[in-house]
Amino acid sequence: MRMSPTKSDNSVPISQLLEFYERMLLVREAENRLSKLFADGEVPGFIHLSVGQEAVCVGVTSALETRDTLASNHRGHGHALSKGVELNSFFLEVMGKEEGICGGRGGSMHVADMSVGMLGANGIVGAGIPLAVGSALAHQVQENGAIAVAFFGDGALAEGVLHESFNLAALWKLPILFVCENNGWSEFSPTGRQFNANVRELAGVFGIPSAFVDGDDVLAVNEAASELVTAIRAGEGPYVLECVTHRVRGHFEGDPQKYRAESEINSLPDHDPITKLETIISKRRIPKKEVVAIRGTIEARINAAVEAGRGGNAPDFSRAKADVYTAVEEV
């Protein structure tokens, strides 16, 4: 079913509009800075940016609690920051420093922080989905009232692990929300060339109810996610939320995107979720100085985080095998 917003823009509290704006802007500007750092050689490995998809991560995570868990994918910076990962620690990790959340070992594609329920990003397509299913099973067994969320792109639809996860979640009626960020691309190919169905049809095969929402509208995403999260907490089992959105950058940073039509690339600004929210904020006659203040705060926070990252220490090579091999003890 398509979930159309039942609340008007005027009914959303101004404080909530500004909170959404601040959180979305944090993700956007953090990634913009990472793009520059990567180009300058200050970020090791590859990075995959979620510019243009900020409404999904903020809209969904705003409906969650700290006790809830979240598994991400390779395009997971927004998921991590929206779930509450501390900004300085995040930059230290992505910049490969020992003081990072995972000691600099995870980097961009494996950011994890269990203190806020961030199970981790994942460099393998679809590999975070079964982790979220396992976490949902743990919540169910422990009867702790928490739920799990699995974020994945439409490029993961052909992965067998998604089908298996849908099956288990449906059979055991697990407390999990599957969130498909449908940006229309499976790496370098239109998703329609990779999979001959859509996520809601696939979910229906397993008896999982699903919803469809405009993924560029943070208010619509949050309203839909809040409704489904409430249902899941009430024991109604798994749900699928498809958020149709737009990927501004290439599959990876530095991707020339020669496979995309020029007309599509030129139309991307029309779908910018932050610009759309700014329009709503303007219509609500919120003083421009408040928006300017938020932008200033975000810029200062990111500047501080970048300096923290630059000031971190390189990992100690002698500890490279720690947590890889279990120490052997003589009996």
Side-chain angles (χ1 to χ4, degrees):
M1 64 175 176
R2 175 160 189 166
M3 298 191 73
S4 300
T6 58
K7 298 178 181 178
S8 69
D9 296 342
N10 290 330
S11 68
V12 178
I14 288 177
S15 60
Q16 188 174 39
L17 289 177
L18 293 177
E19 180 185 350
F20 286 157
Y21 182 70
E22 183 171 2
R23 295 178 67 182
M24 290 170 64
L25 193 63
L26 176 67
V27 174
R28 171 71 60 85
E29 294 307 320
E31 291 206 307
N32 283 341
R33 190 63 63 88
L34 284 176
S35 175
K36 294 178 182 178
L37 292 170
F38 177 78
D40 292 339
E42 295 189 67
V43 173
F46 282 105
I47 60 172
H48 304 72
L49 305 183
S50 61
V51 175
Q53 301 181 187
E54 296 88 354
V56 180
C57 59
V58 171
V60 172
T61 56
S62 294
L64 303 179
E65 300 174 5
T66 301
R67 60 178 175 167
D68 298 324
T69 48
L70 180 160
S72 182
N73 54 16
H74 60 284
R75 207 176 302 283
H77 301 147
H79 306 146
L81 293 173
S82 297
K83 192 63 176 71
V85 171
E86 199 273 326
L87 190 62
N88 285 16
S89 298
F90 170 81
F91 269 87
L92 281 160
E93 181 60 35
V94 176
M95 294 173 77
K97 300 304 175 68
E98 189 168 339
E99 294 85 356
I101 309 165
C102 305
R105 302 178 189 189
S108 169
M109 287 190 284
H110 300 92
V111 174
D113 185 353
M114 292 304 297
S115 70
V116 295
M118 180 63 184
L119 299 175
N122 208 301
I124 305 299
V125 176
I129 300 169
L131 300 182
V133 170
S135 183
L137 176 59
H139 294 322
Q140 184 183 72
V141 170
Q142 295 171 5
E143 298 181 344
N144 60 16
I147 75 164
V149 177
F151 279 98
F152 59 96
D154 43 312
L157 295 180
E159 294 292 333
V161 71
L162 173 64
H163 306 195
E164 295 165 355
S165 295
F166 276 1
N167 186 50
L168 281 180
L171 282 174
W172 297 340
K173 209 168 185 178
L174 297 179
I176 182 169
L177 176 63
F178 295 98
V179 180
C180 177
E181 294 177 288
N182 183 353
N183 60 33
W185 288 96
S186 176
E187 295 191 348
F188 314 108
S189 302
T191 304
R193 293 183 187 173
Q194 305 292 324
F195 191 68
N196 196 33
N198 63 54
V199 68
R200 286 169 288 125
E201 292 171 338
L202 182 62
V205 171
F206 296 97
I208 300 177
S210 61
F212 166 79
V213 73
D214 179 1
D216 297 329
D217 182 344
V218 68
L219 304 184
V221 173
N222 179 252
E223 185 175 345
S226 297
E227 182 176 326
L228 299 185
V229 166
T230 298
I232 294 170
R233 288 200 204 281
E236 294 184 20
Y239 275 88
V240 168
L241 177 61
E242 180 184 16
C243 302
V244 178
T245 185
H246 297 80
R247 190 189 81 192
V248 173
R249 314 291 288 199
H251 170 57
F252 59 89
E253 194 61 8
D255 175 7
Q257 301 197 79
K258 293 181 179 180
Y259 48 86
R260 297 179 83 172
E262 185 176 351
S263 58
E264 179 191 355
I265 293 177
N266 291 339
S267 70
L268 290 173
D270 297 333
H271 302 284
D272 190 326
I274 293 180
T275 300
K276 288 187 174 185
L277 185 55
E278 286 176 338
T279 299
I280 295 173
I281 289 173
S282 178
K283 289 180 179 178
R284 292 290 296 275
R285 301 182 184 278
I286 298 172
K288 189 174 181 179
K289 64 180 182 180
E290 294 194 37
V291 174
V292 172
I294 289 174
R295 285 190 167 276
T297 298
I298 294 300
E299 182 178 3
R301 289 182 62 193
I302 291 175
N303 286 339
V306 170
E307 290 310 308
R310 287 171 172 159
N313 295 303
D316 183 354
F317 184 76
S318 67
R319 297 176 54 204
K321 294 189 294 184
D323 303 322
V324 176
Y325 299 101
T326 301
V328 177
E329 296 182 5
E330 294 186 9
V331 178

